Amino acid sequence: MARYSNKGDKATKLGFGEGVLETGKRNHAVIGIGADITASVGMNLFADAFPERFISLGIAEQNCVGVAAGLALAGKLPVFATYGVFSALRATDQIRVSICYNNLHVIIGGAHAGISVGPDGATHQALEDIAVMRVLPNMTVLSPCDATQAKLAVIAAAEQVNGPVYVRFGREPVPDFTSEDMDFLIGKGQLLRQGNDLTIIATGHLTWEVLQAARMLEERGIQARVINLHTIKPIDQEIIIRAARETGLLLTAEEHQINGGLGGAVAEVVVKHHPVPVDFIGIHDRFGESGKPEELMEKYGLKARAIAEKALKMVEGGASK
């Protein structure tokens, strides 16, 4: 099994922007839509290359979604991106009625995901976007683990889906450890590390932290299986059920509310198909706060050591396969 190393910290918003640019080169139907935020979400790469195909509509997220729906009905492929608290939450009604109800192929980018946004505080930390987006019919929800995968996620959203797609990404530079040679198949999880003592299922930025946690556990004689679920909807039931059956313990890790997020999605699969003990790493039903990203990650128990400690307790707790 491959050992992953950090090629260098890079913000996933840059990977998202590179993906939109590449998609725009491949498909002339791509139209970029901004809401007064362009460089902050990586859309400047597309806007600079294709100014005739980029529309800035100001701070009017609901209107942006309506315009995106109209463009999709006219045969275009709109990509609308702003902060996740605005794209996924403020414009939820428009996304539901104008895009999802009509099953339109629109790519929606949600930046500033998670608590690692830091000093911007609770109003700008998207911690509920997965829950809201994954409940909407027809919506595909992607949460890439690093900048390289964020690029692949946008390309896949354009080429593998024919309906609405929400792509979640962050602001701060994070370890960039995957390769463009790795397959990115929507609806398929990635087995990053083999193990038989328990499985840790991660999404987004926490995937790197989980890999580091697995190394810590290995030093304690525990072999943790690590799965990256970059697609939260449709979820890869097969890889979850196999992990439950073969390791008997599951721990999920996400930079999001536990309620309604990755953990809830995994639990729904496990309860129905192969019930085993499941525990959760994430935000426990509370808002975030202002602070330095690393300090917030430590405080909320999202770093590798906290993940390893919870996994260790699960294994030592005596839950059997």
Side-chain angles (χ1 to χ4, degrees):
M1 188 59 61
R3 292 276 182 167
Y4 296 93
S5 59
N6 182 10
K7 296 177 293 184
D9 288 0
K10 183 176 180 180
T12 45
K13 68 177 182 180
L14 296 179
F16 176 84
E18 291 170 356
V20 179
L21 175 61
E22 178 62 27
T23 302
K25 292 177 180 176
R26 298 183 186 189
N27 186 346
H28 293 283
V30 173
I31 303 291
I33 299 175
D36 202 41
I37 300 168
T38 305
S40 296
V41 298
M43 288 286 283
N44 57 305
L45 300 179
F46 179 87
D48 293 342
F50 304 106
E52 74 283 3
R53 288 198 268 146
F54 183 77
I55 309 168
S56 181
L57 295 173
I59 306 173
E61 292 81 8
Q62 297 96 328
N63 187 42
C64 291
V65 170
V67 170
L71 288 168
L73 286 169
K76 301 298 183 181
L77 175 51
V79 181
F80 165 54
T82 182
Y83 299 162
V85 288
F86 305 139
S87 62
L89 302 177
R90 180 169 292 170
T92 302
D93 178 62
Q94 286 73 23
I95 291 174
R96 176 178 180 270
V97 176
S98 298
I99 292 179
C100 291
Y101 183 67
N102 295 297
N103 197 20
L104 299 177
H105 193 188
V106 175
I107 299 173
I108 301 167
H112 283 43
I115 203 161
S116 60
V117 172
D120 285 6
T123 57
H124 284 58
Q125 295 165 346
L127 296 173
E128 304 84 11
D129 52 330
I130 292 175
V132 173
M133 289 295 101
R134 86 177 181 91
V135 79
L136 295 175
N138 297 323
M139 179 65 81
T140 294
V141 181
L142 305 181
S143 175
C145 65
D146 65 5
T148 296
Q149 194 162 86
K151 177 181 178 180
L152 297 180
V154 178
I155 296 171
E159 299 181 353
Q160 296 180 28
V161 182
N162 189 24
V165 187
Y166 179 70
V167 184
R168 186 178 203 251
F169 54 97
R171 182 184 69 177
E172 295 299 307
V174 294
D176 188 38
F177 62 95
T178 65
S179 166
E180 291 195 29
D181 295 331
M182 295 174 64
D183 289 336
F184 188 98
L185 299 176
I186 288 179
K188 288 295 181 183
Q190 294 176 320
L191 177 61
L192 299 185
R193 183 184 176 113
Q194 190 57 271
N196 295 314
D197 292 321
L198 87 160
T199 299
I200 310 178
I201 301 176
T203 196
H205 297 166
L206 283 205
T207 304
W208 174 256
E209 296 295 333
V210 166
L211 286 170
Q212 304 316 301
R215 292 182 182 181
M216 295 175 185
L217 290 166
E218 186 176 29
E219 295 173 357
R220 304 288 296 270
I222 295 170
Q223 298 299 324
R225 183 177 301 188
V226 176
I227 293 172
N228 170 33
L229 275 189
H230 54 64
T231 305
I232 297 176
K233 183 188 176 188
I235 200 163
D236 187 348
Q237 295 192 34
E238 181 181 356
I239 200 170
I240 295 170
I241 296 169
R242 186 186 308 126
R245 183 178 297 120
E246 294 178 356
T247 71
L249 294 172
L250 300 184
L251 176 63
T252 64
E254 59 191 311
E255 203 181 334
H256 181 273
Q257 301 285 355
I258 289 173
N259 297 334
L262 168 72
V266 169
E268 290 167 9
V269 175
V270 173
V271 167
K272 184 175 181 179
H273 296 282
H274 193 87
V276 297
V278 181
D279 209 339
F280 312 96
I281 294 282
I283 306 298
H284 292 263
D285 195 25
R286 59 169 295 183
F287 287 105
E289 59 188 299
S290 297
K292 295 180 180 177
E294 283 296 307
E295 292 176 349
L296 292 175
M297 294 289 283
E298 289 281 356
K299 178 175 180 178
Y300 286 81
L302 304 177
K303 297 292 288 183
R305 188 162 302 281
I307 297 170
E309 289 174 356
K310 177 160 271 189
L312 187 61
K313 288 181 180 177
M314 289 187 74
V315 174
E316 293 180 343
S320 60
K321 297 178 183 177

